[in-house]
Amino acid sequence: MSIPTVTAARILKGQQNFQTGEEGYLSWETFPHAGLSKTYNTDHQVPDSAGTATAYLGGAKTKKGLIGVDDNTRRGDCASSVGNEIDSILTIARKAGKSVGLITTARITHATPSALYAHVPERDWEADSDIPVAESACKDIALQFLENDDIQVALGGGRKKFTPNTKKDPESKKYGQRKDGRDLIAEWVTAKSQLGKAEYVWNQTRFDEVDPEKVDYLLGLFSDSHMQYDIHPDVAGEPSLAEMTHKAILILQKNPKGFFLLVEGGRIDHAHHEGFAALALTDTIAMDAAVTMAKQMTDDQDTLTIVTADHSHTMTISGYPTRGNPILGIVDAGLAPGSPGLGDDNLPYTTLSYANGPGGVETRLAFEQTGNRPVITNVDTASDTYLQQALVPLKYETHGGDDVGIWADGPMAHLFHSVHEQHYIMHVMAYAACLDKGAPHCKD
């Protein structure tokens, strides 16, 4: 969720409401405090989600690909991770008696959510079948989730990482990916039922039936892998990010000591990687709705709300389009009604483009066939399957290395005020919530 992503989503949201768009705001853009986060990993100038999630959730920068372990760990080396584990803000909050939960539209074993509960030297070790035999002393991420007694609400995708390779998924009909024969979902229900009322749900109907007043533990896995993009329908039905946020808060807020909740619009990242700007923006608007929901259900006198991103992407907004020009459209140069802005090759181009990615592959193929960029005069560039043109051809678009925004409201939100190292975010959360011993604003 780079700064250009936020800007473009803001404009699209306004245009969906029949406005020009530029004058609008996303929910977090009205927060009273803001800053910037430097996202580099200790070994990479442009980061990945594992190292960055470990930073802002664990309070220490680390290498690319590492989850919940510090920089002394070597990627893919199980032995090197022992003794280098980092406690996340979720773990610290739970030890202080707060309720804790996580929500994502990606797999709950994916990089960002797993940084809350797992400690592994390789982010891809989501199921036991993902771990090389030589490194089998390490526990996979899904198993570490099962063994974590702290998490009361977990909603997202990723059923295949929890189910044996002999069991078919109820929706995709594909087999699970666990070779140890264990059904971690069934084991989760059994274990959590000994601690309170526990429910597992996998579709919209079952999710809607959950009574948050009667449930202490809720696990929702709504897809075999990642959940659908917000504007794509799901066969069995999936709750929206805002709906998941609403139900999670209803469950967690029953604790008089308060709660910690992570809400991730994880598929914003995936859409950018695929080169689909429309999907990235509509999922950002879904994130906007989730933040609105959270703010409506909480009080900024006692709840710190932070909106940020783990890293940037390479999408840009450019070309001097006129005010109110469709953000997903072709640049209108304003020279005459409907006249497109043209490149030096005398061909039109869109306001949004990428520095690299799948759009570059299509652009290269067009050059090879015609000597020019693709002609998009009669193309629906607002389609969710339209690949914005890119400079460098790559199968997947890469992350960007530029700073990302931090927007904050609530207690100690003023501590976000300039350019910060990414791991600073976790320490502000701990300080604000009195998890940092000796903070002067906290009561004994």
Side-chain angles (χ1 to χ4, degrees):
M1 200 170 71
S2 60
I3 296 294
T5 303
V6 172
T7 302
R10 172 207 308 156
I11 295 172
L12 180 60
K13 178 185 176 183
Q15 292 178 347
Q16 289 177 337
N17 292 313
F18 309 103
Q19 301 167 340
T20 52
E22 297 88 354
E23 70 283 359
Y25 295 91
L26 297 178
S27 54
W28 56 83
E29 294 183 292
T30 64
F31 287 8
H33 300 281
L36 292 172
S37 170
K38 297 193 289 183
T39 63
Y40 65 92
N41 297 144
T42 58
D43 61 343
H44 279 75
Q45 194 172 71
V46 177
D48 87 321
S49 299
T52 51
T54 299
Y56 71 77
L57 296 173
K61 280 186 176 285
T62 194
K63 294 186 181 80
K64 181 175 180 283
L66 304 186
I67 293 286
V69 291
D70 67 26
D71 182 68
N72 294 311
T73 303
R74 295 181 297 276
R75 185 170 184 177
D77 185 335
C78 182
S80 72
S81 67
V82 178
N84 293 319
E85 297 85 357
I86 298 172
D87 279 347
S88 74
I89 185 67
L90 178 144
T91 299
I92 297 169
R94 188 56 179 156
K95 287 179 179 178
K98 295 181 183 295
S99 294
V100 295
L102 62 90
I103 297 170
T104 181
T105 52
R107 296 187 295 269
I108 68 169
T109 51
H110 209 237
T112 297
S114 66
L116 289 170
Y117 61 83
H119 309 281
V120 288
E122 173 53 65
R123 59 174 292 177
D124 294 333
W125 293 354
E126 297 182 52
D128 63 326
S129 59
D130 298 322
I131 303 177
V133 174
E135 304 296 335
S136 59
C138 270
K139 292 182 179 179
D140 62 89
I141 294 172
L143 181 58
Q144 290 189 51
F145 173 84
L146 171 70
E147 295 179 348
N148 190 306
D149 291 332
D150 295 338
I151 302 170
Q152 291 171 259
V153 177
L155 304 172
R159 289 189 296 259
K160 65 184 181 181
K161 301 298 182 181
F162 292 84
T163 51
N165 55 16
T166 56
K167 182 177 181 178
K168 284 188 176 181
D169 187 83
E171 187 177 12
S172 71
K173 307 306 178 184
K174 297 178 181 178
Y175 287 100
Q177 293 187 346
R178 300 201 64 82
K179 64 181 182 181
D180 58 8
R182 297 176 66 174
D183 184 337
L184 300 190
I185 296 173
E187 291 186 36
W188 180 92
V189 173
T190 299
K192 294 298 184 285
S193 294
Q194 298 174 12
L195 302 174
K197 174 64 174 177
E199 289 200 25
Y200 162 70
V201 297
W202 67 275
N203 57 30
Q204 180 82 53
T205 299
R206 290 283 294 113
F207 175 82
D208 291 342
E209 292 172 348
V210 173
D211 183 350
E213 289 298 317
K214 298 179 180 179
V215 171
D216 302 303
Y217 293 88
L218 177 62
L219 173 61
L221 298 176
F222 302 105
S223 177
D224 177 47
S225 184
H226 303 303
M227 293 178 66
Q228 293 293 322
Y229 289 111
D230 186 68
I231 61 174
H232 286 175
D234 178 74
V235 175
E238 295 178 353
S240 68
L241 198 61
E243 289 174 325
M244 292 191 288
T245 300
H246 178 257
K247 188 146 291 185
I249 292 177
L250 288 177
I251 293 172
L252 298 175
Q253 71 181 4
K254 293 183 293 184
N255 186 341
K257 292 185 177 181
F259 66 89
F260 166 84
L261 175 65
L262 171 81
V263 179
E264 183 198 25
R267 304 230 66 196
I268 300 169
D269 170 72
H270 299 161
H272 277 316
H273 280 310
E274 294 186 82
F276 296 135
L279 292 176
L281 301 191
T282 50
D283 265 49
T284 302
I285 294 172
M287 183 70 181
D288 171 70
V291 173
T292 298
M293 176 65 71
K295 291 297 292 179
Q296 290 173 348
M297 298 180 69
T298 57
D299 188 337
D300 61 15
Q301 295 301 305
D302 64 18
T303 303
L304 173 62
T305 303
I306 301 169
V307 177
T308 191
D310 46 2
H311 54 72
S312 177
H313 273 272
T314 73
M315 189 193 79
T316 62
I317 307 172
S318 62
Y320 303 116
T322 55
R323 175 75 184 274
N325 193 67
I327 191 63
L328 291 168
I330 293 172
V331 169
D332 184 336
L335 302 175
S339 63
L342 301 177
D344 288 347
D345 55 5
N346 211 35
L347 292 175
Y349 57 95
T350 55
T351 303
L352 304 182
S353 60
Y354 288 94
N356 59 46
V361 176
E362 288 202 349
T363 301
R364 183 190 63 186
L365 290 174
F367 263 109
E368 291 174 349
Q369 295 170 4
T370 68
N372 291 301
R373 289 184 298 117
V375 179
I376 58 173
T377 305
N378 297 312
V379 174
D380 180 10
T381 59
S383 167
D384 58 3
T385 59
Y386 175 71
L387 285 172
Q388 276 69 24
Q389 292 179 15
L391 176 62
V392 178
L394 290 174
K395 183 177 181 181
Y396 297 110
E397 179 260 3
T398 72
H399 296 166
D402 41 313
D403 298 347
V404 296
I406 311 169
W407 296 266
D409 191 15
M412 299 297 152
H414 66 277
L415 295 175
F416 297 108
H417 52 76
S418 61
V419 180
H420 301 287
E421 294 288 356
Q422 192 166 38
H423 56 292
Y424 174 79
I425 297 171
M426 182 273 192
H427 295 286
V428 171
M429 289 191 284
Y431 183 81
C434 295
L435 305 176
D436 185 355
K437 303 298 183 183
H441 66 283
C442 302
K443 298 179 181 179
D444 291 336

